[in-house]
Amino acid sequence: MKTFTEPKKLQKWCAAKRMEGRKIALVPTMGYLHEGHLSLIEAARKKGADEIVVSVFVNPVQFGPNEDYDKYPRDEKADLAKCRKAGATAIFFPTPQNMYLDAHSVYVNEETLSAGLCGARRPGHFRGVCTVVAKLFNLAHPHFAVFGQKDFQQETIIRRMVRDLNFDLEIVVAPIVREPSGLARSSRNTYLSADEKSRARALSQSLFAAQADVKAKKTVPWKAYQAKIVKKLEAAGLKVDYVEAVDGETLEPVKRLEKGVAILLAVYCGKTRLIDNAVM
Ligand code: AMP
Protein backbone atom coordinates (compact mmCIF):
# COMPACT_ATOMS: atom_id res chain seq x y z
CA MET A 1 0.00 0.00 0.00
CA LYS A 2 1.32 3.43 -0.98
CA THR A 3 1.29 6.29 1.51
CA PHE A 4 1.11 9.92 0.40
CA THR A 5 1.17 13.20 2.24
CA GLU A 6 1.96 15.45 -0.73
CA PRO A 7 -1.12 16.28 -2.83
CA LYS A 8 0.94 16.56 -6.02
CA LYS A 9 2.47 13.11 -5.54
CA LEU A 10 -0.93 11.51 -5.05
CA GLN A 11 -2.20 13.31 -8.14
CA LYS A 12 0.71 12.06 -10.23
CA TRP A 13 0.34 8.48 -9.03
CA CYS A 14 -3.42 8.42 -9.69
CA ALA A 15 -2.95 9.93 -13.15
CA ALA A 16 -0.38 7.24 -14.01
CA LYS A 17 -2.69 4.48 -12.76
CA ARG A 18 -5.55 5.90 -14.82
CA MET A 19 -3.30 5.91 -17.90
CA GLU A 20 -2.56 2.22 -17.28
CA GLY A 21 -6.32 1.58 -17.42
CA ARG A 22 -6.68 0.93 -13.70
CA LYS A 23 -10.10 1.71 -12.22
CA ILE A 24 -9.67 4.14 -9.31
CA ALA A 25 -11.95 4.49 -6.29
CA LEU A 26 -11.69 7.25 -3.69
CA VAL A 27 -12.91 6.87 -0.10
CA PRO A 28 -12.74 10.23 1.70
CA THR A 29 -12.63 10.06 5.52
CA MET A 30 -11.53 11.99 8.58
CA GLY A 31 -9.81 8.90 9.95
CA TYR A 32 -10.07 7.09 13.30
CA LEU A 33 -11.43 4.39 11.06
CA HIS A 34 -14.18 2.01 12.12
CA GLU A 35 -16.29 -0.65 10.41
CA GLY A 36 -18.43 2.00 8.73
CA HIS A 37 -15.38 3.33 6.88
CA LEU A 38 -14.14 -0.18 6.11
CA SER A 39 -17.51 -1.01 4.55
CA LEU A 40 -16.84 1.81 2.04
CA ILE A 41 -13.54 0.17 1.07
CA GLU A 42 -15.39 -3.12 0.69
CA ALA A 43 -18.04 -1.42 -1.48
CA ALA A 44 -15.26 -0.01 -3.69
CA ARG A 45 -13.78 -3.46 -4.10
CA LYS A 46 -17.15 -5.01 -4.89
CA LYS A 47 -17.67 -2.38 -7.55
CA GLY A 48 -14.49 -3.52 -9.26
CA ALA A 49 -11.91 -0.92 -8.24
CA ASP A 50 -8.28 -1.79 -9.07
CA GLU A 51 -6.92 1.02 -6.91
CA ILE A 52 -8.65 2.09 -3.70
CA VAL A 53 -7.42 5.43 -2.37
CA VAL A 54 -8.45 6.25 1.21
CA SER A 55 -7.95 9.85 2.28
CA VAL A 56 -7.60 10.59 5.98
CA PHE A 57 -7.89 14.27 6.71
CA VAL A 58 -9.53 16.14 9.58
CA ASN A 59 -10.53 19.09 7.45
CA PRO A 60 -10.30 22.27 9.55
CA VAL A 61 -12.49 24.24 7.13
CA GLN A 62 -15.60 22.19 7.86
CA PHE A 63 -15.46 22.73 11.65
CA GLY A 64 -17.09 25.72 13.34
CA PRO A 65 -15.12 27.77 15.91
CA ASN A 66 -16.84 26.06 18.85
CA GLU A 67 -16.70 22.56 17.42
CA ASP A 68 -14.39 19.63 18.15
CA TYR A 69 -11.60 20.12 15.55
CA ASP A 70 -8.81 20.04 18.16
CA LYS A 71 -10.11 17.08 20.09
CA TYR A 72 -11.36 15.06 17.08
CA PRO A 73 -9.80 11.58 17.56
CA ARG A 74 -6.77 10.78 15.41
CA ASP A 75 -4.71 7.58 15.09
CA GLU A 76 -2.68 7.43 11.88
CA LYS A 77 -0.90 4.22 12.76
CA ALA A 78 -4.10 2.29 13.42
CA ASP A 79 -5.70 3.79 10.30
CA LEU A 80 -2.78 2.60 8.18
CA ALA A 81 -3.06 -0.94 9.51
CA LYS A 82 -6.84 -1.03 9.02
CA CYS A 83 -6.59 0.29 5.45
CA ARG A 84 -3.93 -2.25 4.57
CA LYS A 85 -5.98 -5.10 6.03
CA ALA A 86 -9.14 -3.92 4.25
CA GLY A 87 -7.40 -3.94 0.89
CA ALA A 88 -6.83 -0.22 0.21
CA THR A 89 -3.95 0.30 -2.24
CA ALA A 90 -3.13 3.90 -1.28
CA ILE A 91 -3.66 6.11 1.73
CA PHE A 92 -3.47 9.89 1.65
CA PHE A 93 -2.62 11.77 4.85
CA PRO A 94 -2.34 15.42 3.84
CA THR A 95 -1.67 18.19 6.35
CA PRO A 96 -3.82 21.32 6.68
CA GLN A 97 -0.80 23.28 5.40
CA ASN A 98 -0.40 21.33 2.20
CA MET A 99 -4.14 21.18 1.51
CA TYR A 100 -4.71 24.88 2.18
CA LEU A 101 -1.79 26.93 0.96
CA ASP A 102 -1.22 30.44 2.30
CA ALA A 103 -3.97 32.80 1.21
CA HIS A 104 -6.22 29.96 0.05
CA SER A 105 -9.29 31.86 -1.14
CA VAL A 106 -11.49 29.61 -3.30
CA TYR A 107 -14.37 27.66 -1.78
CA VAL A 108 -17.23 25.57 -3.16
CA ASN A 109 -20.67 26.56 -1.97
CA GLU A 110 -23.80 24.49 -2.53
CA GLU A 111 -26.69 26.88 -2.01
CA THR A 112 -29.96 24.96 -1.68
CA LEU A 113 -29.59 21.53 -0.09
CA SER A 114 -27.18 22.98 2.50
CA ALA A 115 -29.69 25.53 3.80
CA GLY A 116 -31.49 23.33 6.33
CA LEU A 117 -30.81 20.47 8.74
CA CYS A 118 -27.09 20.28 9.68
CA GLY A 119 -26.33 23.16 7.30
CA ALA A 120 -28.54 25.51 9.32
CA ARG A 121 -26.99 24.46 12.63
CA ARG A 122 -23.37 24.29 11.44
CA PRO A 123 -22.82 27.43 9.32
CA GLY A 124 -20.04 26.91 6.80
CA HIS A 125 -19.86 23.16 7.41
CA PHE A 126 -20.93 22.04 3.94
CA ARG A 127 -18.86 24.78 2.31
CA GLY A 128 -15.86 23.14 3.99
CA VAL A 129 -16.99 19.66 3.00
CA CYS A 130 -17.64 20.58 -0.65
CA THR A 131 -14.33 22.40 -0.91
CA VAL A 132 -12.23 19.55 0.45
CA VAL A 133 -14.12 16.90 -1.51
CA ALA A 134 -13.74 18.91 -4.74
CA LYS A 135 -9.99 19.13 -4.05
CA LEU A 136 -9.80 15.38 -3.41
CA PHE A 137 -11.70 14.70 -6.64
CA ASN A 138 -9.22 16.86 -8.55
CA LEU A 139 -6.25 15.15 -6.90
CA ALA A 140 -7.34 11.53 -7.30
CA HIS A 141 -9.62 11.96 -10.35
CA PRO A 142 -11.30 8.68 -9.37
CA HIS A 143 -13.71 6.74 -11.56
CA PHE A 144 -15.96 6.64 -8.53
CA ALA A 145 -16.02 7.85 -4.94
CA VAL A 146 -17.73 6.08 -2.06
CA PHE A 147 -19.69 7.87 0.68
CA GLY A 148 -21.81 6.58 3.55
CA GLN A 149 -25.53 7.04 3.96
CA LYS A 150 -24.70 7.87 7.58
CA ASP A 151 -24.16 11.47 6.43
CA PHE A 152 -27.33 11.66 4.36
CA GLN A 153 -27.34 15.41 3.76
CA GLN A 154 -23.63 15.41 2.91
CA GLU A 155 -24.02 12.62 0.37
CA THR A 156 -26.99 14.41 -1.25
CA ILE A 157 -25.00 17.65 -1.48
CA ILE A 158 -21.95 15.92 -2.95
CA ARG A 159 -24.10 14.29 -5.64
CA ARG A 160 -25.48 17.74 -6.49
CA MET A 161 -21.97 19.20 -6.60
CA VAL A 162 -20.84 16.45 -8.98
CA ARG A 163 -23.84 17.11 -11.21
CA ASP A 164 -23.66 20.89 -11.17
CA LEU A 165 -19.87 21.22 -11.53
CA ASN A 166 -19.57 18.37 -14.07
CA PHE A 167 -17.14 16.24 -12.11
CA ASP A 168 -16.25 13.24 -14.24
CA LEU A 169 -16.97 10.50 -11.72
CA GLU A 170 -19.70 8.41 -10.16
CA ILE A 171 -20.87 8.60 -6.55
CA VAL A 172 -21.51 5.32 -4.76
CA VAL A 173 -23.46 5.36 -1.50
CA ALA A 174 -23.03 2.58 1.07
CA PRO A 175 -25.55 1.75 3.83
CA ILE A 176 -25.11 2.71 7.49
CA VAL A 177 -23.05 0.27 9.56
CA ARG A 178 -24.32 -0.01 13.13
CA GLU A 179 -23.08 -1.37 16.43
CA PRO A 180 -25.01 -4.41 17.72
CA SER A 181 -27.04 -1.98 19.87
CA GLY A 182 -28.24 -0.20 16.72
CA LEU A 183 -26.08 2.88 17.32
CA ALA A 184 -24.63 4.08 13.99
CA ARG A 185 -20.86 3.69 14.04
CA SER A 186 -19.01 6.98 14.25
CA SER A 187 -15.54 8.15 15.20
CA ARG A 188 -17.32 10.46 17.66
CA ASN A 189 -18.80 7.48 19.56
CA THR A 190 -15.46 7.35 21.32
CA TYR A 191 -16.55 10.47 23.25
CA LEU A 192 -19.50 8.59 24.78
CA SER A 193 -19.53 7.09 28.27
CA ALA A 194 -21.19 3.68 28.74
CA ASP A 195 -24.30 5.40 30.09
CA GLU A 196 -24.43 7.83 27.16
CA LYS A 197 -24.01 4.96 24.69
CA SER A 198 -26.94 3.20 26.24
CA ARG A 199 -29.09 6.37 26.03
CA ALA A 200 -28.05 6.90 22.40
CA ARG A 201 -29.84 3.71 21.40
CA ALA A 202 -33.05 5.77 21.32
CA LEU A 203 -31.90 7.26 17.98
CA SER A 204 -31.91 4.06 15.98
CA GLN A 205 -34.87 2.68 17.94
CA SER A 206 -36.96 5.69 16.89
CA LEU A 207 -35.92 5.28 13.26
CA PHE A 208 -36.59 1.54 13.16
CA ALA A 209 -40.01 2.05 14.80
CA ALA A 210 -40.88 4.65 12.15
CA GLN A 211 -39.87 2.25 9.38
CA ALA A 212 -42.09 -0.46 10.89
CA ASP A 213 -45.02 1.96 11.24
CA VAL A 214 -44.72 3.09 7.63
CA LYS A 215 -44.50 -0.50 6.49
CA ALA A 216 -47.68 -1.36 8.40
CA LYS A 217 -49.71 1.79 7.69
CA LYS A 218 -48.21 2.93 4.34
CA THR A 219 -48.57 6.62 5.25
CA VAL A 220 -48.37 8.44 8.58
CA PRO A 221 -48.97 12.17 9.27
CA TRP A 222 -45.59 13.68 10.24
CA LYS A 223 -46.28 16.46 12.77
CA ALA A 224 -47.77 14.28 15.49
CA TYR A 225 -45.26 11.54 14.76
CA GLN A 226 -42.36 14.00 15.01
CA ALA A 227 -43.60 15.07 18.47
CA LYS A 228 -43.67 11.39 19.49
CA ILE A 229 -40.04 10.88 18.41
CA VAL A 230 -38.89 14.06 20.16
CA LYS A 231 -40.61 12.86 23.36
CA LYS A 232 -38.93 9.47 23.13
CA LEU A 233 -35.48 11.03 22.58
CA GLU A 234 -35.96 13.48 25.45
CA ALA A 235 -37.15 10.67 27.72
CA ALA A 236 -33.79 8.97 27.03
CA GLY A 237 -32.02 12.12 28.27
CA LEU A 238 -31.00 13.35 24.81
CA LYS A 239 -31.19 17.00 23.76
CA VAL A 240 -32.83 17.24 20.36
CA ASP A 241 -31.15 19.44 17.77
CA TYR A 242 -33.59 18.49 15.03
CA VAL A 243 -35.86 15.68 13.87
CA GLU A 244 -37.07 16.21 10.31
CA ALA A 245 -38.80 14.20 7.60
CA VAL A 246 -37.67 15.15 4.11
CA ASP A 247 -37.91 14.02 0.53
CA GLY A 248 -34.96 11.69 0.02
CA GLU A 249 -33.83 13.51 -3.14
CA THR A 250 -34.62 17.19 -2.62
CA LEU A 251 -34.39 17.32 1.20
CA GLU A 252 -37.65 19.33 1.13
CA PRO A 253 -39.79 18.87 4.28
CA VAL A 254 -42.76 16.55 3.83
CA LYS A 255 -46.12 16.38 5.61
CA ARG A 256 -46.47 12.61 5.66
CA LEU A 257 -44.15 9.69 6.24
CA GLU A 258 -44.27 7.25 3.37
CA LYS A 259 -42.00 5.12 1.20
CA GLY A 260 -38.95 7.10 0.02
CA VAL A 261 -39.14 9.72 2.79
CA ALA A 262 -36.04 10.08 4.97
CA ILE A 263 -36.09 10.90 8.66
CA LEU A 264 -32.95 12.78 9.65
CA LEU A 265 -32.09 13.52 13.24
CA ALA A 266 -29.39 15.19 15.28
CA VAL A 267 -29.18 15.12 19.07
CA TYR A 268 -26.77 16.01 21.82
CA CYS A 269 -25.88 13.07 24.02
CA GLY A 270 -24.09 14.85 26.84
CA LYS A 271 -21.69 17.10 24.94
CA THR A 272 -21.49 14.87 21.87
CA ARG A 273 -23.57 15.66 18.80
CA LEU A 274 -24.86 12.52 17.08
CA ILE A 275 -26.65 12.21 13.76
CA ASP A 276 -28.60 9.34 12.27
CA ASN A 277 -31.16 8.76 9.54
CA ALA A 278 -33.32 6.17 7.83
CA VAL A 279 -35.21 6.01 4.57
CA MET A 280 -38.76 4.71 4.92
P1 AMP B 1 -16.06 10.62 8.48
O1 AMP B 1 -14.71 10.05 8.71
O2 AMP B 1 -16.97 10.57 9.67
O3 AMP B 1 -16.03 11.97 7.82
O4 AMP B 1 -16.77 9.67 7.42
C1 AMP B 1 -16.16 9.36 6.20
C2 AMP B 1 -17.14 8.58 5.34
O5 AMP B 1 -17.52 7.40 6.03
C3 AMP B 1 -18.42 9.35 5.03
O6 AMP B 1 -18.81 9.10 3.69
C4 AMP B 1 -19.39 8.77 6.01
O7 AMP B 1 -20.74 8.85 5.61
C5 AMP B 1 -18.93 7.33 6.08
N1 AMP B 1 -19.37 6.71 7.32
C6 AMP B 1 -19.14 7.16 8.58
N2 AMP B 1 -19.75 6.36 9.49
C7 AMP B 1 -20.39 5.41 8.77
C8 AMP B 1 -21.22 4.29 9.13
N3 AMP B 1 -21.52 4.01 10.39
N4 AMP B 1 -21.68 3.52 8.13
C9 AMP B 1 -21.40 3.79 6.83
N5 AMP B 1 -20.64 4.82 6.44
C10 AMP B 1 -20.14 5.62 7.39
Side-chain angles (χ1 to χ4, degrees):
M1 187 175 69
K2 300 280 290 181
T3 305
F4 298 97
T5 53
E6 279 297 319
K8 273 224 145 36
K9 287 194 177 149
L10 173 77
Q11 196 169 40
K12 231 173 127 182
W13 184 81
C14 289
K17 292 292 175 193
R18 192 174 249 268
M19 285 289 284
E20 288 169 22
R22 309 278 287 168
K23 198 162 178 187
I24 300 171
L26 173 69
V27 179
T29 81
M30 297 204 298
Y32 212 72
L33 301 177
H34 51 69
E35 284 171 38
H37 298 116
L38 302 182
S39 77
L40 307 185
I41 299 177
E42 181 59 26
R45 202 205 342 260
K46 281 212 180 107
K47 213 173 139 67
D50 301 307
E51 304 293 349
I52 303 175
V53 181
V54 179
S55 63
V56 173
F57 181 52
V58 186
N59 173 34
V61 182
Q62 72 190 64
F63 286 78
N66 299 317
E67 294 182 355
D68 56 344
Y69 175 71
D70 286 328
K71 73 164 193 172
Y72 195 85
R74 293 161 169 90
D75 189 344
E76 286 200 5
K77 231 171 125 184
D79 288 347
L80 259 173
K82 286 177 189 169
C83 280
R84 185 173 287 125
K85 187 155 175 242
T89 57
I91 186 161
F92 179 44
F93 284 120
T95 63
Q97 293 73 23
N98 66 23
M99 281 297 267
Y100 298 102
L101 303 180
D102 282 350
H104 177 103
S105 59
V106 179
Y107 295 88
V108 179
N109 216 14
E110 191 287 323
E111 299 194 344
T112 306
L113 304 169
S114 311
L117 307 164
C118 284
R121 277 101 187 155
R122 303 184 66 189
H125 171 65
F126 289 115
R127 169 180 178 264
V129 169
C130 286
T131 301
V132 79
V133 170
K135 286 167 71 68
L136 292 168
F137 286 172
N138 283 332
L139 290 172
H141 191 188
H143 293 85
F144 58 90
V146 192
F147 290 84
Q149 190 203 314
K150 163 86 194 324
D151 298 85
F152 194 93
Q153 188 179 15
Q154 165 176 288
E155 161 253 299
T156 309
I157 291 169
I158 296 293
R159 281 193 284 120
R160 178 65 60 86
M161 178 180 84
V162 165
R163 188 197 75 168
D164 287 359
L165 297 186
N166 306 92
F167 278 100
D168 173 30
L169 55 91
E170 187 190 336
I171 298 295
V172 175
V173 178
I176 301 175
V177 175
R178 298 178 179 280
E179 298 189 1
S181 70
L183 178 64
R185 291 194 184 272
S186 164
S187 307
R188 288 190 169 100
N189 290 353
T190 178
Y191 300 148
L192 301 174
S193 67
D195 172 57
E196 287 171 339
K197 261 198 161 177
S198 161
R199 286 191 275 132
R201 284 183 307 184
L203 271 79
S204 58
Q205 283 168 355
S206 303
L207 293 170
F208 297 157
Q211 281 176 322
D213 285 338
V214 170
K215 202 163 174 201
K217 298 177 192 153
K218 298 277 182 272
T219 164
V220 179
W222 172 241
K223 265 237 147 344
Y225 202 89
Q226 180 188 39
K228 210 170 103 178
I229 297 182
V230 168
K231 220 168 138 188
K232 186 178 162 75
L233 295 171
E234 286 177 349
L238 305 169
K239 189 168 158 268
V240 174
D241 195 4
Y242 66 78
V243 178
E244 301 290 343
V246 299
D247 178 282
E249 289 298 315
T250 62
L251 303 185
E252 290 286 336
V254 296
K255 291 205 160 59
R256 304 187 72 82
L257 285 183
E258 51 208 356
K259 205 166 182 273
V261 166
I263 298 180
L264 273 58
L265 43 85
V267 305
Y268 285 92
C269 183
K271 287 195 169 123
T272 306
R273 188 170 182 277
L274 301 173
I275 58 171
D276 201 350
N277 69 81
V279 179
M280 302 298 108

